[in-house]
Amino acid sequence: MTSFVRRLTVGSTMPHVPVHHQKFKPTIEIPAFPLLPHNNQRPLGIALRSRKYWRVEAVGPVGRSEGGDGTKKAGGGPGPGPCSYSLGDRTTEVERRERNRTVEVVVAAGVTVVLGVGNRVLYKLALVPLKHYPFFLAQLATFGYVLVYFSVLYLRYHAGIVTDEMLSMPKAPFLAVGLLEALGAATGMAAGAILSGASIPILSQTFLVWQILLSIIFLGRRYRINQLLGCFLVAVGVIISVASGSSSGHSLKEAGMFWSLLMIVSFLFQAADTVLKEVIFLDAAQRLKGGSIDLFVVNSYGSAFQALFICLLLPFLSKLWGIPFSQLPNYLKDGAACFLNIGGTLSSRCDGAPLLPLLFVIVNMGFNISLLHLLKISSAVVSSLASTFSVPISVYVFTLPLPYLGVASSLPTGFVAGAIILVTGLLIYAWTPSGSTAALPSPSN
């Protein structure tokens, strides 16, 4: 078997092109396009080498100027060769992308905080006309989101934003998301029916602890000391700013250890849900070869499976709300009439409907989407910190003269001190020491 080497020269004229036959070698070298010699240096060429595949490789010294005319630059030094590149340019590009990503995370976190405050305030306002039907409002949100999310998913699919590859992702993780969300809601409702309102913000700080532990176990994350300290200060700040001056400690003792532990387990389910969603995004990036799964794929299937499990738990959940399961259809019918503000004497007690409940549903949906987007571009812990930051702001908003709420509430005695500690914790968490990166992932990520 024979092969050949062909040399092509580029210049003012095309010289004779010799063809040489030689024995087969493991590597076939075909230098092509040798450039004119410069200062008696060996010509620069391009070699094509084959070892089961072709590879283009630059060979020879670099001595040509930037203009490509074989002359030196005005400064007297040789210009960069045709295959040279600036390492500084590459470093600058990486730094620019990192800054853009940081700005994107900060903006997304700000939007999440604003929507989180609106979500908490509007939930309180929505319960003014639906104060006798909070269970109806919860089910309206659960099943209404399935319809809305899948409608948006349908439109995005036909617009080409959602692909068949995204929809063909394994459904088992989404089923687990729905199960965790349903269990989190069920256990939270059960414990919340017994615990006082002042004690729940204290127990809710275990949500952040669970997220850190689960991300270390399942995502291989490693956190710096300043990040752990920042999370601890955020939790302490929320407890001080929300629960100071109340009898929350006494309420916890009165409720008993079981209900406190059940509420902590509820936040475990919720934390596992957020970490699992982060796992879904990471797995999708591998399956889609660097692509990203659309938010509405995760939201749609997660909400659908949550609604399925909520249906299975309806007898248990209705009992927690003090509604006999046999009376649940009548309860839901009266709740719908109040929501629509129809039904004669019933509507007289539903002032503010349907505007306030609808505003809550819309803002709550936007909050869930922004929270999932923040989780997608950062991490579950960052999304949790943004959500947590909205708690003391909501407490302050409730001190303002809001419509339908009557007399404004007063600030807790330690609100200012707690808010200062919380902001300090966020700054410590966000601080990046020189030469380090945020939330070091494991080598496997």
Side-chain angles (χ1 to χ4, degrees), residues 229-298:
L229 177 61
C231 291
F232 172 76
L233 291 178
V234 167
V236 172
V238 171
I239 293 173
I240 294 176
S241 61
V242 175
S244 59
S246 66
S247 56
S248 55
H250 181 67
S251 300
L252 286 173
K253 292 181 180 178
E254 283 187 345
M257 184 62 67
F258 173 78
W259 298 108
S260 299
L261 290 176
L262 187 61
M263 180 61 76
I264 292 174
V265 170
S266 170
F267 290 116
L268 169 61
F269 289 137
Q270 297 174 44
D273 164 54
T274 59
V275 172
L276 179 56
K277 287 178 180 177
E278 190 172 356
V279 171
I280 290 175
F281 284 122
L282 295 174
D283 179 64
Q286 295 180 353
R287 291 179 179 271
L288 302 177
K289 299 179 181 179
S292 177
I293 189 171
D294 191 76
L295 293 176
F296 285 92
V297 177
V298 180

Side-chain angles (χ1 to χ4, degrees), residues 31-326:
F33 312 119
L35 303 176
L36 295 177
H38 173 64
N39 292 343
N40 298 323
Q41 294 180 354
R42 186 164 58 88
L44 175 68
I46 298 177
L48 300 181
R49 294 180 179 177
S50 173
R51 198 181 298 267
K52 295 186 180 179
Y53 60 89
W54 290 100
R55 180 178 63 189
V56 179
E57 181 181 294
V59 297
V62 211
R64 293 177 55 79
S65 68
E66 191 174 20
D69 56 358
T71 61
K72 292 185 179 180
K73 298 174 68 174
C83 294
S84 64
Y85 65 93
S86 172
L87 183 60
D89 292 342
R90 184 177 180 183
T91 304
T92 302
E93 178 67 17
V94 172
E95 292 176 349
R96 184 181 66 82
R97 290 180 180 178
E98 188 65 25
R99 284 196 300 269
N100 291 342
R101 179 182 176 278
T102 301
V103 171
E104 183 183 6
V105 171
V106 171
V107 172
V111 172
T112 301
V113 170
V114 172
L115 291 174
V117 173
N119 180 60
R120 292 175 180 274
V121 173
L122 285 172
Y123 177 70
K124 189 79 172 179
L125 290 173
L127 287 179
V128 172
L130 295 177
K131 60 183 176 181
H132 298 294
Y133 306 100
F135 185 67
F136 169 82
L137 181 61
Q139 304 320 306
L140 174 68
T142 299
F143 294 94
Y145 292 169
V146 176
L147 177 62
V148 173
Y149 285 149
F150 271 100
S151 299
V152 175
L153 181 64
Y154 175 81
L155 295 176
R156 292 173 73 86
Y157 176 75
H158 283 276
I161 301 174
V162 175
T163 62
D164 292 328
E165 290 77 10
M166 295 180 187
L167 297 178
S168 63
M169 292 282 295
K171 301 302 183 292
F174 299 121
L175 186 144
V177 165
L179 177 61
L180 289 171
E181 290 180 347
L183 291 176
T187 53
M189 286 181 185
I194 304 298
L195 296 171
S196 67
S199 60
I200 293 177
I202 297 177
L203 297 174
S204 68
Q205 301 315 303
T206 58
F207 176 70
L208 186 57
V209 177
W210 286 126
Q211 278 191 326
I212 293 175
L213 291 176
L214 293 174
S215 63
I216 291 174
I217 295 172
F218 294 103
L219 297 176
R221 289 260 164 78
R222 291 176 292 160
Y223 294 93
R224 299 189 307 269
I225 296 299
N226 68 292
Q227 292 177 316
L228 296 176
L229 177 61
C231 291
F232 172 76
L233 291 178
V234 167
V236 172
V238 171
I239 293 173
I240 294 176
S241 61
V242 175
S244 59
S246 66
S247 56
S248 55
H250 181 67
S251 300
L252 286 173
K253 292 181 180 178
E254 283 187 345
M257 184 62 67
F258 173 78
W259 298 108
S260 299
L261 290 176
L262 187 61
M263 180 61 76
I264 292 174
V265 170
S266 170
F267 290 116
L268 169 61
F269 289 137
Q270 297 174 44
D273 164 54
T274 59
V275 172
L276 179 56
K277 287 178 180 177
E278 190 172 356
V279 171
I280 290 175
F281 284 122
L282 295 174
D283 179 64
Q286 295 180 353
R287 291 179 179 271
L288 302 177
K289 299 179 181 179
S292 177
I293 189 171
D294 191 76
L295 293 176
F296 285 92
V297 177
V298 180
N299 267 342
S300 299
Y301 285 106
S303 298
F305 285 116
Q306 180 192 9
L308 173 64
F309 288 112
I310 288 292
C311 285
L312 298 177
L313 294 172
L314 269 181
F316 171 73
L317 295 176
S318 64
K319 185 177 181 181
L320 289 176
W321 286 94
I323 307 166
F325 187 66
S326 59

Side-chain angles (χ1 to χ4, degrees), residues 122 137 140-141 144-145 339 356-366:
L122 285 172
L137 181 61
L140 174 68
Y145 292 169
F339 171 75
L356 295 179
L358 276 178
L359 284 176
F360 163 70
V361 170
I362 293 172
V363 173
N364 181 258
M365 189 179 305

